[in-house]
Amino acid sequence: MGRYILRRAVQAVGTLLLVMFLLHLLTTVAIQLNGNPAQAFFGDKVATPAQIAAVEQRFNLDDPCYDQVGNPCLGPFVERLGQYAQGDFGTNLRGREVSEIVATAAPNTLRLFCVVLVTWLALGMLLGSAAARWRGSAGDHGIRLTSVLIDAFPVFVLLIVYRYVVAVPLNGWAEDTFGENSWPPYWFKPSFDPDHPWATVVVPGILLGLAGSAAFIRLVRASQLESYQGDHVRTARSKGLTERRVVVHHVVRNSSVPVVTAVGLTFAEALGGAVITEGLMNIYGMGGVLWEAVRNDDVGLVLGVVTLLAAVTVVVMIVVDIAYALLDPRIRYE
């Protein structure tokens, strides 16, 4: 296992460097074709050439390579790598540290992910396991039909209906019933409240988890059906083990590898931000930060945030790979 972890760590570093280089090339080409984004610093104001030159120098955009279409600008890339290695991810166009922005936005996205994950696991494991256990029954068909209907309903429509049709009357009812300063009114608040972050992400997280649970339910069902037909399950039953022990220790555990993969990918996507959910519910998270950075041509913020997201994603994928061996004894890396 130790050699495997070391090998995966080396691969992760290579993958991260490749992602950073591709991101650098894309932003470089965008600058070369669309012009230097230093003007975005001044908004709608007309800046003098001297002011634009000062901004370019401040944000390391003054290298002549940015004016030469096709030049990969390796010098700025190496310089940026050195800054990242020292923990300096730069600033946005307003002079705020990228690391500070991420430290403020990431916890809100992680709170949303926690609620989504609990919803996913509860619905996916419960309904997927039930459908696999009673394959071909009316319950199995009903669960699969429900998952298809959930898949067919766009998440943004669900959130819009909730916020503008359901949340307002529920919030008023909760205030009248439990009082304005109690927890229930915050659960149904139509928008995010930074003073009560956990309470105001519960319902949006549940809705987002519900919308994404359809594929998860089918994944759990298919994975467990394969385990039910395995030799290890027949052997366990022939030994006289109870059905509960067979299901829990031999079916659920051995079918958890694709489930762990799905959770890892979900974490990576959630850290990037559920842009629609965060936008509609006014949640200040990673998705909203990245969206605004792209809209404002804030190159430094885009590069810093995407690099951090890529690093976290690589780490999560390594953790997922290691979890495989812990869940499935048939997997060996040595």
Side-chain angles (χ1 to χ4, degrees):
M1 181 67 76
R3 285 183 297 174
Y4 171 75
I5 295 175
L6 180 61
R7 186 169 65 251
R8 288 290 289 118
V10 173
Q11 293 173 352
V13 172
T15 301
L16 183 59
L17 289 175
L18 178 60
V19 170
M20 292 171 62
F21 184 65
L22 290 176
L23 179 63
H24 167 77
L25 287 181
L26 290 174
T27 53
T28 298
V29 170
I31 291 173
Q32 292 170 347
L33 295 179
N34 300 323
N36 205 305
Q39 177 62 46
F41 179 84
F42 301 95
D44 296 331
K45 298 179 181 179
V46 179
T48 65
Q51 289 174 322
I52 293 179
V55 172
E56 290 178 351
Q57 184 178 8
R58 175 182 174 184
F59 294 101
N60 300 322
L61 297 172
D62 57 339
D63 195 293
C65 69
Y66 289 117
D67 298 322
Q68 305 167 6
V69 178
N71 191 325
C73 294
L74 296 179
F77 175 68
V78 174
E79 183 179 352
R80 186 177 298 114
L81 284 181
Q83 294 173 344
Y84 288 173
Q86 298 174 8
D88 180 11
F89 291 89
T91 63
N92 67 350
L93 289 177
R94 298 295 175 261
R96 189 180 177 191
E97 294 286 340
V98 172
S99 55
E100 180 186 344
I101 295 174
V102 171
T104 304
N108 293 330
T109 296
L110 291 176
R111 290 186 185 98
L112 187 65
F113 166 75
C114 288
V115 179
V116 171
L117 179 61
V118 171
T119 305
W120 266 40
L121 290 178
L123 292 177
M125 296 303 295
L126 180 63
L127 297 181
S129 298
R133 179 69 180 85
W134 293 288
R135 177 186 181 184
S137 66
D140 178 24
H141 292 301
I143 290 172
R144 284 190 289 167
L145 176 60
T146 301
S147 69
V148 172
L149 293 177
I150 293 174
D151 243 352
F153 199 78
V155 62
F156 70 89
V157 175
L158 186 64
L159 291 169
I160 289 174
V161 170
Y162 166 72
R163 179 175 182 182
Y164 295 103
V165 179
V166 179
V168 174
L170 281 179
N171 180 258
W173 168 81
E175 288 183 351
D176 295 338
T177 305
F178 302 99
E180 294 184 5
N181 296 324
S182 60
W183 284 109
Y186 291 106
W187 295 341
F188 305 110
K189 198 174 181 64
S191 60
F192 180 75
D193 187 343
D195 295 328
H196 301 84
W198 278 107
T200 48
V201 300
V202 168
V203 175
I206 291 175
L207 293 177
L208 187 60
L210 176 64
S213 65
F216 194 56
I217 291 172
R218 294 195 293 269
L219 174 65
V220 171
R221 177 185 180 275
S223 181
Q224 291 194 10
L225 280 178
E226 183 178 354
S227 291
Y228 272 114
Q229 299 170 2
D231 294 336
H232 62 289
V233 172
R234 286 192 291 269
T235 302
R237 285 173 172 164
S238 67
K239 290 181 177 179
L241 297 180
T242 63
E243 188 64 18
R244 179 180 178 181
R245 185 172 179 82
V246 170
V247 171
V248 173
H249 292 276
H250 296 278
V251 175
V252 174
R253 179 181 176 181
N254 291 328
S255 62
S256 295
V257 170
V259 174
V260 170
T261 304
V263 172
L265 293 175
T266 303
F267 177 84
E269 293 175 2
L271 194 61
V275 178
I276 295 176
T277 304
E278 292 180 353
L280 287 174
M281 303 304 296
N282 296 325
I283 299 174
Y284 183 72
M286 296 297 291
V289 167
L290 195 55
W291 175 256
E292 288 299 321
V294 172
R295 288 185 58 189
N296 297 329
D297 293 328
D298 198 333
V299 176
L301 183 56
V302 171
L303 290 173
V305 170
V306 174
T307 299
L308 288 171
L309 294 179
V312 173
T313 300
V314 168
V315 172
V316 170
M317 292 300 103
I318 292 177
V319 173
V320 168
D321 287 346
I322 295 173
Y324 289 167
L326 301 177
L327 290 170
D328 192 339
R330 295 171 296 177
I331 297 177
R332 290 292 182 267
Y333 295 117
E334 295 291 345

